[in-house]
Amino acid sequence: MLISIKNLCKEYDNEGVVTKALCGASFDIKAGEFVAIMGPSGSGKSTLMQLLGFLDRPTGGRYFFEGKDTKNFTDDQLAYFRNQKIGFVFQAFNLLPRTTVYENVELPLIYNEKSDSQAKIKERVQSALRSVGLEERMYNFSNQLSGGEQQRVAIARALVNDPALILADEPTGNLDSKNGLQIMKILQSLNNEGRTIVMVTHETYTSEHAKRIISMLDGTIVKDELVKRRRIADKEKGLLK
Amino acid sequence: MNLSDPLKISYRNLVAAKFRSFLTILGIVIGIASVIIIMAIGTSAQELILNQIRGVGSNLIGVLPGASEEKGPPASALGVVITTLKYGDFKALMEKSNVPDAVSGAVYLSGNDTVQFQGINKNYTYQGTTYGYVETENATVANGRFFTKDEDTSLARIAVLGSSVADDLFGNTIDPIGKKIKIGDQSFDVVGVFAERGSAAFSNQDTTIYMPIYTAQKIMLGVDYLNYLRIKVDSETNIDRAKADVITTLRERHDIDNPEDDDFSVRDQQTGLDVINNVTGAIKYFLAAIAAVSLLVGGIGIMNTMLISVNQRIREVGLRKAIGAKNAAILLQFLVESIVVTLIGGVAGILLGVIVAGIAALIIQKLGYAWPFVVTLPSILVAVGISFFVGIFFGIYPARKAAKLNVVEALRYE
């Protein structure tokens, strides 16, 4: 089992006012799954994703990653897991401006504990860019690219360390339907190659590209089911919203 | 994670905000340059003064009127006139039975007055001295003669001119020897001209007129005391013994039993050097400390810039942490950036400081002083060290602030 959470909770204490953002979430995710976490804003889906991505610590419950209990991890261990095990794709792309595509994709490798040779690094960056079809834009600056291209660079960056899990937070949220569809195509093809993907979205249509949908409302999981009629991005013309 | 990445990031950020980086670096440049300039000029001035004292010779004993601390300045330097040292004291010290090691000596009493020759009117310092002056001071009479032992006390109105005085009054065409000049309202015969000697500690010997001591005391100034006197000892190794003899002789003449009642001080060149060294050193470091305050201001400028930089890059920090940068890596990145800023400023400041000190030295040398151009390696190392530590000291707070940012909040920051 890649991920196993039991009764996961997250409370925010804002000057004495305690807000329960997530309460009693439990599920397992196996390697190779493509899971969409669905729900309106305030449902706790972003909080859940932050916990799964080791960006934040739960206030209750257990989180096992590859069978390891992550409860007593130090900050540095969490950073190590984010670097080695997780590839993040954010809604706002979060590329470094005034920086080339190559350097953006290279970034997770820089924070690797064991440093690879320059040749090895270049090979990995090129291969990650090849899988999103942007190898020829390698030496462009990130701010010279279109939104869709920027998100593809972000996916390449997520792939470069060969992570166990790709976490995508509203990956199509800032894109038009055509570019959004292309991102879904890439995510589906990555999943077909065996990569595990967890995607947060509030759009039903987008979530139907996954194999399984976990629906959330007011901090709890209300539904967890397989997609019956999965959409295949390759066979669509545009991503309807 | 190695250092090349933070260096690359620092470079990119410095270039991205060129004008801001320039102003930040400028603060450090000014601070370091002022420290270097003041240290260089201070050291040069110190060397200049010390060299001149050394040039006089190390086998001299000076006797000053009034008691003074061993390492402190003499009373006369503070403007107090003490009249206890007389020509008779000098005569006694020159007796072989009193100070056997003395080979020569001279007394000094100075004043200044208007000097006239054929319509030229100029103010000069004059010095009453004795015939032993030439030997004691290693001076050379280039033209004519110096005065004799008899003339010391004969009230003869004769003068020996410093080389510049002779140039000013007579130019190249007239031979000064035998000419009459007026000093104040007294008429003097010029009997000799010194070779060019340059300036000593606080007076320029070339612009001074020399006359016999009695002439200066009784005709010119109407006093019976001396400013100071010097004794030349046969060899440096006998300095201490000669000093003791001088002290014994003077105590006897002045009826002093208790050393605390001494109304004179005896110094050799080494104590003189120590005094000058102490005084000029203190001034130099005091000025350098003031200059260092500007470094503090520069450091605060760095902290300010780094805080702005951290605030502008909160999302970037969030992203870097999200993809696996540890707190230490973020800390290092920002710290390297502020150290790079201060080191660039430090190197530029050293260059600027050395150039300014060099130009100052050239100008001062053109004015005729034997001004050494000294930039010491320690002052450069200190400057680099200071800028490095300013970078760390003022960079650590912003860097820690960046490193401690919460990932989730940083990623969400607009």
Side-chain angles (χ1 to χ4, degrees):
Chain A
M1 202 60 66
L2 181 67
I3 285 174
S4 177
I5 63 171
K6 296 199 163 52
N7 259 325
L8 210 60
C9 285
K10 178 69 186 177
E11 293 173 352
Y12 291 104
D13 187 348
N14 197 353
E15 287 166 13
V17 183
V18 177
T19 323
K20 282 193 175 182
L22 184 70
C23 192
S26 302
F27 56 75
D28 293 339
I29 295 174
K30 286 192 285 288
E33 283 199 70
F34 189 162
V35 180
I37 299 175
M38 266 284 291
S41 34
S43 61
K45 60 186 192 302
S46 287
T47 303
L48 178 59
M49 151 137 173
Q50 284 155 12
L51 295 178
L52 291 179
F54 304 108
L55 294 171
D56 211 347
R57 294 167 186 275
T59 47
R62 310 300 282 276
Y63 175 16
F64 298 90
F65 191 93
E66 290 179 336
K68 285 191 217 45
D69 189 350
T70 63
K71 191 175 179 179
N72 295 318
F73 275 19
T74 63
D75 281 354
D76 279 358
Q77 277 173 310
L78 292 181
Y80 175 78
F81 263 64
R82 289 198 293 270
N83 183 251
Q84 293 292 312
K85 303 292 183 187
I86 312 281
F88 287 100
V89 178
F90 301 99
Q91 179 175 358
F93 325 139
N94 282 359
L95 299 183
L96 297 182
R98 302 186 300 271
T99 305
T100 60
V101 166
Y102 182 92
E103 286 167 310
N104 267 289
V105 176
E106 184 193 21
L107 213 52
L109 297 175
I110 284 169
Y111 295 112
N112 255 1
E113 300 226 309
K114 48 182 196 306
S115 42
D116 285 327
S117 68
Q118 282 302 314
K120 189 89 187 286
I121 287 175
K122 187 163 184 186
E123 195 187 304
R124 293 178 73 167
V125 171
Q126 276 176 324
S127 127
L129 280 170
R130 203 176 302 128
S131 57
V132 296
L134 280 177
E135 207 185 347
E136 76 282 4
R137 306 298 298 267
M138 198 150 72
Y139 297 113
N140 284 72
F141 282 97
S142 60
N143 37 323
Q144 295 170 332
L145 305 183
S146 73
E149 285 170 326
Q150 289 192 35
Q151 192 62 301
R152 281 150 68 193
V153 173
I155 294 173
R157 182 180 64 195
L159 288 174
V160 77
N161 244 341
D162 196 17
L165 172 68
I166 290 176
L167 273 179
D169 186 6
E170 304 272 11
T172 61
N174 281 16
L175 298 174
D176 61 21
S177 69
K178 215 173 149 199
N179 279 307
L181 184 69
Q182 187 163 21
I183 296 302
M184 293 319 297
K185 261 187 214 169
I186 292 172
L187 290 180
Q188 284 190 333
S189 83
L190 288 172
N191 180 241
N192 290 341
E193 289 163 17
R195 294 191 184 273
T196 316
I197 298 175
V198 172
M199 173 179 74
V200 166
T201 182
H202 64 276
E203 299 156 346
T204 315
Y205 177 81
T206 305
S207 71
E208 285 166 359
H209 288 81
K211 290 176 180 163
R212 171 184 167 193
I213 298 179
I214 296 173
S215 301
M216 299 193 59
L217 192 67
D218 297 335
T220 53
I221 293 174
V222 290
K223 212 159 57 175
D224 184 349
E225 57 187 12
L226 295 179
V227 180
K228 290 183 191 84
R229 291 177 56 198
R230 190 185 180 203
R231 293 180 188 273
I232 303 300
D234 255 343
K235 294 175 184 162
E236 292 169 281
K237 290 197 175 69
L239 194 60
L240 303 171
K241 292 197 181 182
Chain B
M1 187 73 200
N2 54 30
L3 262 181
S4 72
D5 187 59
L7 280 173
K8 210 161 69 184
I9 297 167
S10 304
Y11 169 76
R12 187 171 294 140
N13 285 315
L14 290 179
V15 171
K18 282 188 199 70
F19 193 58
R20 196 174 71 195
S21 310
F22 169 73
L23 290 180
T24 314
I25 291 171
L26 191 63
I28 297 299
V29 171
I30 291 171
I32 293 286
S34 3
V35 171
I36 293 274
I37 292 168
I38 283 172
M39 290 297 284
I41 290 181
T43 309
S44 301
Q46 212 170 7
E47 281 298 304
L48 177 75
I49 295 169
L50 294 178
N51 279 338
Q52 284 173 342
I53 296 174
R54 283 189 202 111
V56 173
S58 55
N59 50 350
L60 290 182
I61 293 173
V63 180
L64 298 148
S68 66
E69 296 280 327
E70 265 284 292
K71 306 265 161 162
S76 57
L78 305 173
V80 182
V81 178
I82 300 173
T83 62
T84 49
L85 196 64
K86 314 280 186 191
Y87 180 69
D89 293 329
F90 174 68
K91 288 294 279 184
L93 293 174
M94 293 315 291
E95 297 284 339
K96 272 282 169 232
S97 54
N98 287 331
V99 188
D101 300 316
V103 291
S104 72
V107 305
Y108 302 79
L109 173 67
S110 57
N112 64 80
D113 217 326
T114 316
V115 177
Q116 287 180 53
F117 177 75
Q118 290 185 346
I120 302 172
N121 245 313
K122 228 178 146 188
N123 207 59
Y124 285 106
T125 301
Y126 58 81
Q127 197 148 53
T129 184
T130 43
Y131 79 102
Y133 179 88
V134 176
E135 192 189 341
T136 310
E137 298 270 344
N138 292 330
T140 312
V141 177
N143 187 4
R145 64 171 182 91
F146 202 69
F147 23 93
T148 64
K149 190 172 185 178
D150 292 337
E151 283 167 335
D152 283 351
T153 52
S154 70
L155 298 178
R157 289 180 177 82
I158 53 173
V160 175
L161 309 182
S163 59
S164 305
V165 182
D167 283 349
D168 290 352
L169 296 179
F170 301 100
N172 294 326
T173 50
I174 307 170
D175 180 11
I177 307 302
K179 299 287 181 301
K180 283 194 184 303
I181 57 171
K182 275 187 98 174
I183 304 176
D185 52 9
Q186 300 293 325
S187 186
F188 278 74
D189 286 324
V190 177
V191 297
V193 176
F194 277 117
E196 193 181 323
R197 290 196 284 166
S199 56
F202 299 108
S203 63
N204 188 343
Q205 299 167 320
D206 291 333
T207 60
T208 304
I209 297 171
Y210 299 84
M211 61 180 67
I213 180 63
Y214 265 35
T215 310
Q217 281 186 330
K218 298 181 198 315
I219 296 175
M220 300 302 295
L221 293 164
V223 301
D224 67 345
Y225 58 83
L226 307 172
N227 292 141
Y228 59 99
L229 61 86
R230 281 180 178 158
I231 309 279
K232 188 172 191 172
V233 179
D234 51 5
S235 99
E236 230 177 293
T237 48
N238 293 333
I239 285 274
D240 287 338
R241 192 170 70 195
K243 265 172 85 176
D245 290 340
V246 168
I247 290 168
T248 312
T249 309
L250 289 178
R251 283 199 188 133
E252 205 168 292
R253 280 185 54 82
H254 293 191
D255 280 334
I256 295 166
D257 298 325
N258 184 350
E260 283 180 15
D261 296 335
D262 278 355
D263 58 0
F264 60 88
S265 9
V266 178
R267 298 184 168 200
D268 57 29
Q269 195 205 31
Q270 197 48 53
T271 50
L273 285 177
D274 289 347
V275 171
I276 303 277
N277 229 339
N278 280 344
V279 173
T280 53
I283 293 171
K284 182 174 77 181
Y285 287 110
F286 172 69
L287 291 175
I290 291 176
V293 172
S294 59
L295 264 180
L296 187 73
V297 178
I300 294 169
I302 285 190
M303 186 146 143
N304 196 9
T305 309
M306 290 310 296
L307 283 173
I308 293 170
S309 181
V310 169
N311 267 335
Q312 285 183 340
R313 280 145 66 191
I314 287 181
R315 272 177 78 99
E316 178 192 322
V317 171
L319 172 80
R320 285 178 185 275
K321 288 182 125 185
I323 61 171
K326 294 179 177 153
N327 291 355
I330 301 292
L331 184 87
L332 185 71
Q333 180 194 323
F334 281 91
L335 208 50
V336 163
E337 198 168 318
S338 61
I339 292 171
V340 164
V341 166
T342 45
L343 281 186
I344 292 174
V347 170
I350 289 168
L351 288 178
L352 182 69
V354 169
I355 290 169
V356 170
I359 291 172
L362 275 181
I363 292 172
I364 297 170
Q365 280 162 5
K366 279 264 182 295
L367 294 176
Y369 291 89
W371 182 265
F373 174 49
V374 199
V375 176
T376 58
L377 186 64
S379 71
I380 286 178
L381 292 180
V382 165
V384 173
I386 288 176
S387 50
F388 188 75
F389 282 108
V390 164
I392 291 185
F393 185 80
F394 289 99
I396 195 92
Y397 174 74
R400 278 176 63 93
K401 196 179 156 181
K404 281 174 157 175
L405 284 173
N406 177 296
V407 197
V408 173
E409 283 169 26
L411 277 173
R412 222 187 278 147
Y413 187 84
E414 293 297 330

